Amino acid sequence: MHSDVATLSKASIWREASRILCEEGFRAFWKGNLVTIAHRLPYSSISFYSYERYKTYLQSVPVLDRHRDNVTADVCVRVLGGGLSGLTAAAMTYPLDLVRTRLAAQTNEMYYRGISHTLHTIWRDEGIRGLYKGLGATLLGVGPSIAISFSVYETLRSHWHLQRPRDSPVLVSLACGSLSGIASSTVTFPIDLVRRRMQLEGAGGRARVYNSGILGTFRHIFQNEGIRGLYRGILPEYTKVVPGVGIAFMTYETLKILLTNAAVDE
């Protein structure tokens, strides 16, 4: 199969950026940005909200409540809370994630036209199950990813605050969030790659290659592209995730401070 994925598999980030600029124009760099915003807004909101709720619930569990001051119990609460919040947010917003991937993957031939058209076309061509293609791989990746992200972030922030309590909490959140993004992306990138490959399966009438689920897709990539193939694209992933996660945590902490101060003033 001569797919976009196969074509781009050997391209560097700079070559691919040049190709996009020459073939599709500057605006192509923001292709699918609207659906990204439409996906990230509810996804981030659900992630942060459910994390606080799950964390509160887990802290009330008798076994963990008795060891609240124990570092291991604290890390356990953060990991479990982060993992559960990631699963919740991913499951609730997955069709938009699929639409985002399909729209961003288009090159010269525009098979999908906007969010609603993509949803309708996937439903028509692939059925209701098509809207959740790759969900298993997404949940396998998102759960650990968010678990690592939240646990690393809170652990680093707590340690930083103990060592340098006078540092700006906003800048500390930005730095710790960026580091947590590096940690989560490094660990979970292969499963995220599998997710994207599965999401593109059958897109725009393409031939099907990965017909044996998550393990089959993982095996196909490993056999044909090697271990490096499982990390192909990690550099652009870092350039996206590091500032993105850092800004997300910084914004979250800033809003918490503002809301807390507003509540005190009232």
Side-chain angles (χ1 to χ4, degrees), residues 144-184:
S145 177
I146 301 299
I148 294 169
S149 186
F150 274 111
S151 59
V152 169
Y153 168 75
E154 291 214 19
T155 301
L156 288 175
R157 188 169 64 95
S158 298
H159 181 72
W160 194 319
H161 181 70
L162 288 174
Q163 298 297 318
R164 303 173 64 91
R166 295 185 179 180
D167 286 353
S168 168
V170 174
L171 295 179
V172 170
S173 297
L174 177 62
C176 293
S178 299
L179 292 172
S180 73
I182 293 174
S184 61

Side-chain angles (χ1 to χ4, degrees), residues 13 145 181-182 184-186 188-190 192-193 195-196 231-245:
I13 182 174
S145 177
I182 293 174
S184 61
S185 292
T186 302
T188 62
F189 187 80
D192 193 52
L193 178 69
R195 171 187 68 84
R196 289 194 299 269
Y231 283 91
R232 181 166 287 127
I234 189 71
L235 180 58
E237 178 74 4
Y238 283 150
T239 61
K240 178 190 74 172
V241 167
V242 172
V245 175

Side-chain angles (χ1 to χ4, degrees), residues 39-51 89 252:
H39 168 255
R40 295 307 298 185
L41 181 59
Y43 178 85
S44 297
S45 301
I46 295 169
S47 293
F48 282 106
Y49 176 80
S50 60
Y51 175 68
Y252 176 64

Side-chain angles (χ1 to χ4, degrees), residues 50-258:
S50 60
Y51 175 68
E52 296 294 344
R53 300 284 75 76
Y54 282 128
K55 191 169 68 169
T56 300
Y57 171 76
L58 290 168
Q59 288 172 340
S60 67
V61 174
V63 175
L64 296 173
D65 185 49
R66 287 196 299 269
H67 301 84
R68 181 171 294 186
D69 297 328
N70 186 284
V71 175
T72 303
D74 198 30
V75 172
C76 184
V77 167
R78 293 170 182 172
V79 170
L80 287 175
L84 290 171
S85 69
L87 294 175
T88 302
M92 293 180 69
T93 62
Y94 185 76
L96 285 172
D97 186 32
L98 177 67
V99 169
R100 178 185 61 170
T101 302
R102 295 282 180 96
L103 286 173
Q106 295 185 119
T107 53
N108 294 324
E109 183 179 353
M110 302 299 291
Y111 190 80
Y112 303 111
R113 303 186 304 274
I115 299 173
S116 59
H117 179 261
T118 306
L119 287 169
H120 173 74
T121 303
I122 294 172
W123 181 297
R124 183 195 65 201
D125 295 347
E126 305 169 52
I128 184 66
R129 294 181 61 183
L131 293 172
Y132 291 90
K133 184 176 293 179
L135 176 60
T138 297
L139 295 181
L140 283 176
V142 166
S145 177
I146 301 299
I148 294 169
S149 186
F150 274 111
S151 59
V152 169
Y153 168 75
E154 291 214 19
T155 301
L156 288 175
R157 188 169 64 95
S158 298
H159 181 72
W160 194 319
H161 181 70
L162 288 174
Q163 298 297 318
R164 303 173 64 91
R166 295 185 179 180
D167 286 353
S168 168
V170 174
L171 295 179
V172 170
S173 297
L174 177 62
C176 293
S178 299
L179 292 172
S180 73
I182 293 174
S184 61
S185 292
T186 302
V187 173
T188 62
F189 187 80
I191 193 64
D192 193 52
L193 178 69
V194 169
R195 171 187 68 84
R196 289 194 299 269
R197 294 288 180 91
M198 293 182 70
Q199 285 181 332
L200 291 173
E201 184 84 324
R206 292 179 179 142
R208 298 180 182 275
V209 174
Y210 313 114
N211 292 316
S212 49
I214 299 170
L215 291 178
T217 304
F218 187 92
R219 190 183 306 113
H220 184 277
I221 295 172
F222 181 75
Q223 290 175 346
N224 289 274
E225 304 173 45
I227 188 68
R228 292 181 62 183
L230 295 171
Y231 283 91
R232 181 166 287 127
I234 189 71
L235 180 58
E237 178 74 4
Y238 283 150
T239 61
K240 178 190 74 172
V241 167
V242 172
V245 175
I247 291 170
F249 276 111
M250 181 183 71
T251 304
Y252 176 64
E253 294 296 342
T254 302
L255 289 174
K256 281 177 64 176
I257 293 171
L258 292 174

Side-chain angles (χ1 to χ4, degrees), residues 15-32 104 106-108 110:
R15 277 188 202 150
E16 181 55 17
S18 298
R19 185 198 66 79
I20 292 173
L21 184 62
C22 293
E23 295 183 7
E24 304 174 60
F26 189 71
R27 293 179 61 184
F29 287 111
W30 279 266
K31 184 185 295 179
Q106 295 185 119
T107 53
N108 294 324
M110 302 299 291

